[in-house]
């Protein structure tokens, strides 16, 4: 710590207002009264978004107060951009230089979280907040620190934005490669848009697979808890448990039957499973018939938009009858194998790039914390 800096408690340098929830009959969602923030649920990166209002607030935060989450999760911060009511999940801290206070609290977020107590909900008390120590230079130095942090964060944010743009470009590239593959453009020259190579044929999904849905068997969580073992137990999109027995042995394609994933495609719609395993009734299970590469079918299925085959809105579902109607473009087995190899080559490169970007994004967040740590130990100015 620099010699001309002081160490003070938060209670000495800012006004601390602990939140208090007003009676529930004073809440509304019709913008009557003052914006009401209960906790981190309303937070964004900087400013909270009002979803509820209160016409009889108990505790009020003013514009530029720092809103601190004091109940699980502890330590998260936002800046009040308007006068607002705060519930017991928040505290408001009013600094002379609000940005200095904001960046300091962000620098100790995990330290504050470690001080949380309680079994049901971790929380920190007003006393803990008041006794928290803060390095406190003169106001001019505080402003210089804020300016340096924002300069470095601006550069960092630009890098993060570029990385996220690259992530989106890779997603677009993946979709394009899959589209080209099943239009025949990866393995044939001069294929016209909207047409398939002459050697390809269109068949229905139900014509090219053997379906084993009748052998699926769900087990309740309680039963699974009593039958823990080494065999994988699959649900719609992933392993959900390990049990002491198996239903299937071999290489199969599992296709999620229900859930929002069918529409959002946040996870692969279909995934290959090999070896001994169990499947509940949330995933269709199939094997390909002769002269159809199961990896080819898996890639194709994950390229699809299933909107027209999925029924239901509250709980979207792909039933077996609709799944069997899905058209499959099929080349000769040799070309299928060639397409699979080309997809694996191209998509593996994309996978490595995505891993590198994800690692860089993690490093960027670590660098952000490093900048804050240096700022409040006097190393930036």
């Amino acid at each position: 710590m620099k010699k001309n800096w002081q160490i003070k408690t938060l209670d000495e340098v800012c006004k601390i207002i602990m939140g208090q929830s007003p009676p529930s009959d004073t809440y509304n969602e019709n913008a009557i009264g003052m914006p009401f923030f209960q906790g981190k649920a309303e937070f964004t990166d900087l400013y909270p978004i009002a979803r509820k209002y209160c016409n009889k607030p108990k505790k009020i935060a003013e514009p530029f107060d720092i809103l601190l989450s004091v109940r699980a999760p502890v330590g998260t911060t936002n800046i009040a951009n308007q006068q607002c009511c705060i519930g017991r999940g928040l505290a408001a801290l009013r600094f002379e230089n609000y940005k200095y206070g904001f960046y300091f609290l962000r620098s100790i977020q995990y330290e504050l979280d470690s001080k949380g107590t309680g079994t049901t909900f971790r929380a920190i008390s007003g006393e803990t907040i008041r006794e928290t120590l803060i390095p406190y230079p003169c106001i001019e130095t505080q402003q210089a620190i804020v300016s340096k942090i924002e300069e470095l964060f601006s550069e960092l944010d630009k890098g993060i934005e570029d990385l996220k743009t690259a992530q989106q470009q890779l997603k677009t590239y993946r979709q394009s490669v899959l589209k080209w593959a099943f239009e025949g453009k990866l393995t044939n020259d001069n294929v016209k848009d909207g047409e398939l190579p002459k050697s390809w044929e269109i068949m229905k999904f139900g014509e090219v697979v053997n379906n084993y849905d009748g052998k699926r068997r769900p087990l309740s969580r309680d039963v699974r808890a009593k039958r823990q073992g080494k065999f994988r137990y699959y649900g719609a999109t992933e392993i959900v448990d390990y049990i002491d027995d198996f239903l299937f042995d071999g290489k199969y394609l599992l296709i999620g039957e229900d859930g929002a994933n069918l529409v959002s495609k946040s996870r692969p719609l279909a995934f290959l499973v090999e070896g001994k395993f169990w499947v509940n009734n949330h995933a269709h299970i199939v094997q390909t018939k002769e002269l159809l590469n199961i990896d080819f079918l898996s890639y194709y299925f994950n390229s699809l938009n299933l909107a027209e085959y999925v029924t239901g809105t509250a709980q979207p579902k792909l039933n077996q009858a609709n799944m069997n109607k899905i058209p499959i473009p099929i080349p000769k087995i040799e070309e299928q194998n060639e397409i699979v190899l080309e997809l694996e080559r191209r998509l593996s490169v994309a996978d490595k790039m995505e891993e590198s970007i994800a690692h860089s994004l993690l490093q960027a967040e670590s660098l952000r914390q490093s900048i804050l740590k240096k700022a409040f130990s006097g190393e930036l100015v």
Side-chain angles (χ1 to χ4, degrees), residues 178-191:
L178 288 169
K179 183 174 182 290
W180 299 332
F182 300 109
E183 289 175 347
K185 293 178 181 178
L186 289 187
T187 46
N188 296 273
D189 295 328
N190 304 318
V191 177

Side-chain angles (χ1 to χ4, degrees), residues 36-53:
F36 172 43
F37 302 121
Q38 294 175 294
K40 182 188 178 295
E42 294 91 5
F43 282 9
T44 64
D45 186 49
L46 282 178
Y47 306 109
I49 296 175
R51 298 185 178 91
K52 291 185 178 180
Y53 296 80

Side-chain angles (χ1 to χ4, degrees), residues 79-91:
I79 301 170
N81 57 355
Q82 58 190 314
Q83 194 178 60
C84 55
C85 170
I86 56 171
R88 62 178 177 170
L90 296 177

Side-chain angles (χ1 to χ4, degrees), residues 188-202:
N188 296 273
D189 295 328
N190 304 318
V191 177
K192 295 180 180 179
D193 289 341
E195 297 183 7
L196 289 174
K198 292 180 180 179
S199 60
W200 289 39
E201 60 180 319
I202 300 290

Side-chain angles (χ1 to χ4, degrees), residues 43-44 56 59 85 88 213 216 241 278 289 317 328 343 345 354 372:
F43 282 9
T44 64
K56 291 184 180 179
K59 293 295 179 73
C85 170
R88 62 178 177 170
D213 285 2
R216 302 174 303 177
D241 214 334
W278 193 290
K289 293 182 179 178
K317 184 171 183 177
I328 313 287
L343 285 173
R345 183 184 70 81
E354 284 185 336
L372 291 173

